[in-house]
Amino acid sequence: MKRINTGRLVIVGAGLAAQYAALHLAPRPVLMISPEPLGQGASSTWAQGGVAAAMHPADSAAAHARDTVQAGAGTVDAQVAHAVANEARMHILDLTELGTLFDRTPKGGYVMSREAAHSFARVVRVLGDQAGAEIMRALTVQVREAAHIQVLEGVMATRLEMANGAVCGVEVVQCTNGQSAPCLIRAAAVLLAGGGSGGLFALTTNPPRVRGQVIGMAARAGVVIADAEFVQFHPTAIDCGLDPAPLATEALRGEGATLVNRHGIRFMQEAHPDAELAPRDIVARAVFAQSQAGVAPALDTRTALGARLLHDFPAVAAACQQSGLNPLVIPIPVAAAAHYHMGGVATDVAGRTSLDGLWACGEVASTGLHGANRLASNGLLEALVYGRRAAVDMDAVLGPVPKKQAAVSLPELTTATAPRSDLVNRLRQTMTHGAGVIRTAQGLQDTLTEIAAIEADQPDCTALANMTATATLIATAALNRRESRGAHFRSDYPESDGATGARSFLTLTQARSAAPLETT
């Protein structure tokens, strides 16, 4: 295997958390690993709603934190929620300074939407439903111009290198055309910011390459994974046969759009007092139940928005047009799809993981903010808060900034075997059927058996092993949690064990040995 020694800090991923952290590390030399062209292929770019922040004078960070704790179904770390909510305004102002063109009122205030489980309209938007794309555009311009940042595009991390119990580098492959043989990059430290796990499920809103590989890579190195069982299913993915499924942002329901079935009957009013603006897990299960009953759930925007949808929500309008749907005439067909992983690499308040030399931020991390059911639009906020925190902590731990580092150049690498598409598809179907919206002990046990069989069918493929590692952790943690809480619903244990619950912490070794769940 080729080896490259560099004094640079390596960031795995190139989404919002990765880019924001890289900019805050200046002038420390940074090497960013980006599987796609910079600014593309990251879940951050696809985010429609916006960033949750108490920007209105009548709102408060305390109210934002209270909503976060309540939505999290008893497992949110309240101290984390208050600290993150208190920082939110600062990051909106920082993004504005960096060139993000947030929607503004004629008087210069920020235009905000109300989304599910928020007690106030506090989701700061960009061009209606273009928040993720526009924030990423602004950051990518800054990253491209930053002298301390080098970006390796078309490159994917597959393994962490360890020495004396600490992370000291990362193995990468070129992945633009197929997959190359690996190359090891030795680094000053590693920051994981490589996205979530939604693509492990057959129906997802995540970009095609986001399939739990970075969580799995860390787990295979021995890191502790927190809350793996809590996978959030978005209730209004557009059900049009595309993979991944386009998203009909929650802001549409904030504007008054309603959920109906093929008979034109609204079904959320009986499910929850907040109807369409109930917590996501409740709405997702209601939509899933309608789908299972064969009565075609759909989002009706005609009365609430009408033609305004076409210019106020251009991403939704474009997805409908691409799918041959006319939301001005008929409701938009929807389904519950894997959307956001609340679980991930366990971190402390500074983004440190259980392994020396390794930090994590963004969706790949689990900080205690989201609990069992992420509050809408807190995902981008968490990426900002912990991207900056990790950068500040890494800079302090690593000490003096080294002299200017030479650019890293990967050698010519021979072609290697990529994960077999039939096995990846089999894994995604397995996770959907056994570890999806509604779970049972038997279904989860069958899922774990099938995951092991899939892994055994291509045992020497590191990329597949990373996916199956994350799938194993999700299914094992779900099997161990013998209750229903937030996004984790067990039909054989339909009630919660009290108003508050314990977070779960699990290593891959424990998961594979069927060790009992650890709680704190």
Side-chain angles (χ1 to χ4, degrees):
M1 182 190 302
K2 300 288 186 180
R3 286 174 168 79
I4 297 173
N5 293 316
T6 178
R8 290 178 181 265
L9 184 157
V10 171
I11 298 180
V12 176
L16 176 60
Q19 293 201 27
Y20 201 61
L23 291 170
H24 281 88
L25 279 160
R28 184 174 297 278
V30 170
L31 179 66
M32 185 179 293
I33 307 299
S34 177
E36 312 288 347
L38 188 62
Q40 301 177 25
S43 295
S44 306
T45 305
W46 291 27
Q48 291 183 0
V51 184
M55 304 296 288
H56 192 281
D59 196 10
S60 69
H64 183 184
R66 184 174 61 248
D67 290 346
T68 298
V69 171
Q70 185 171 345
T75 58
V76 171
D77 185 321
Q79 288 185 322
V80 169
H82 282 277
V84 170
N86 281 326
E87 284 190 35
R89 179 181 178 85
M90 174 187 74
H91 292 288
I92 296 299
L93 298 177
D94 189 25
L95 287 177
T96 303
E97 287 293 317
L98 288 170
T100 302
L101 301 175
F102 289 107
D103 293 347
R104 308 298 281 267
T105 67
K107 293 184 178 181
Y110 290 87
V111 174
M112 289 170 286
S113 296
R114 184 184 173 199
E115 295 188 357
H118 285 276
S119 60
F120 205 89
R122 66 166 66 93
V123 179
V124 186
R125 307 189 321 188
V126 189
L127 299 175
D129 59 6
Q130 300 289 294
E134 286 301 306
I135 292 170
M136 287 292 290
R137 177 201 58 77
L139 291 184
T140 299
V141 169
Q142 299 289 330
V143 168
R144 290 283 192 201
E145 295 176 351
H148 71 290
I149 302 173
Q150 180 191 355
V151 183
L152 288 180
E153 296 172 290
V155 174
M156 180 173 66
T158 57
R159 185 180 67 85
L160 293 173
E161 178 77 357
M162 304 288 294
N164 301 317
V167 174
C168 63
V170 62
E171 187 179 281
V172 301
V173 297
Q174 294 172 347
C175 58
T176 303
N177 297 306
Q179 185 170 301
S180 74
C183 174
L184 177 63
I185 301 175
R186 296 191 180 275
V190 176
L191 172 62
L192 300 180
S197 307
L200 287 174
F201 296 81
L203 185 59
T204 180
T205 63
N206 284 196
R209 209 185 292 273
V210 180
R211 292 175 177 164
Q213 298 96 321
V214 180
I215 293 174
M217 176 179 72
R220 292 175 66 232
V223 82
V224 173
I225 304 298
D227 297 339
E229 66 271 37
F230 296 125
V231 177
Q232 187 170 70
F233 295 86
H234 199 292
T236 54
I238 300 176
D239 190 11
C240 58
L242 294 178
D243 181 24
L247 184 66
T249 174
E250 201 159 86
L252 294 167
R253 284 175 279 141
E255 294 284 332
T258 57
L259 284 163
V260 299
N261 59 29
R262 71 180 179 193
H263 305 298
I265 299 171
R266 288 181 65 184
F267 53 86
M268 282 308 304
Q269 292 167 309
E270 293 184 1
H272 193 275
D274 291 335
E276 280 80 8
L277 291 179
R280 276 187 179 171
D281 65 306
I282 294 171
V283 184
R285 284 195 293 276
V287 168
F288 181 76
Q290 296 285 312
S291 296
Q292 293 295 100
V295 289
L299 185 68
D300 193 346
T301 65
R302 294 173 297 179
T303 300
L305 287 146
R308 188 160 62 87
L309 179 142
L310 301 180
H311 54 81
D312 283 6
F313 298 93
V316 176
C320 287
Q321 183 179 31
Q322 180 185 0
S323 305
L325 302 170
N326 186 347
L328 306 187
V329 177
I330 61 170
I332 304 167
V334 295
H339 181 61
Y340 190 94
H341 196 177
M342 280 82 76
V345 178
T347 70
D348 66 9
V349 295
R352 296 189 192 188
T353 75
S354 61
L355 296 178
D356 289 342
L358 184 68
W359 284 254
C361 61
E363 192 176 350
V364 74
S366 183
T367 65
L369 175 66
H370 302 312
N373 193 36
R374 178 180 68 104
L375 183 67
S377 291
N378 266 357
L380 294 184
L381 173 60
E382 183 193 47
L384 294 165
V385 170
Y386 279 87
R388 180 183 177 278
R389 286 188 185 182
V392 170
D393 192 61
M394 295 178 86
D395 194 52
V397 169
L398 293 175
V401 176
K403 295 178 181 179
K404 184 176 180 180
Q405 296 288 307
V408 173
S409 178
L410 294 183
E412 286 290 327
L413 298 173
T414 57
T415 300
T417 303
R420 281 169 39 194
S421 60
D422 64 311
L423 294 180
V424 173
N425 290 335
R426 187 171 143 199
L427 177 62
R428 297 178 70 194
Q429 292 293 336
T430 296
M431 291 296 288
T432 293
H433 293 311
V437 178
I438 296 178
R439 300 159 171 176
T440 65
Q442 188 61 57
L444 291 163
Q445 289 166 346
D446 292 346
T447 296
L448 287 166
T449 299
E450 182 67 0
I451 291 169
I454 291 167
E455 195 171 61
D457 277 354
Q458 197 178 8
D460 297 327
C461 182
T462 302
L464 180 64
N466 290 337
M467 295 181 209
T468 55
T470 302
T472 297
L473 286 156
I474 292 170
T476 301
L479 181 62
N480 285 341
R481 187 173 288 279
R482 296 179 179 91
E483 63 164 347
S484 291
R485 186 172 296 278
H488 167 72
F489 186 81
R490 289 277 298 267
S491 60
D492 48 355
Y493 292 94
E495 303 298 326
S496 296
D497 290 341
T500 59
R503 297 182 66 198
S504 68
F505 296 89
L506 196 63
T507 66
L508 184 59
T509 298
Q510 290 170 333
R512 285 180 168 158
S513 62
L517 183 70
E518 294 183 11
T519 59
T520 61

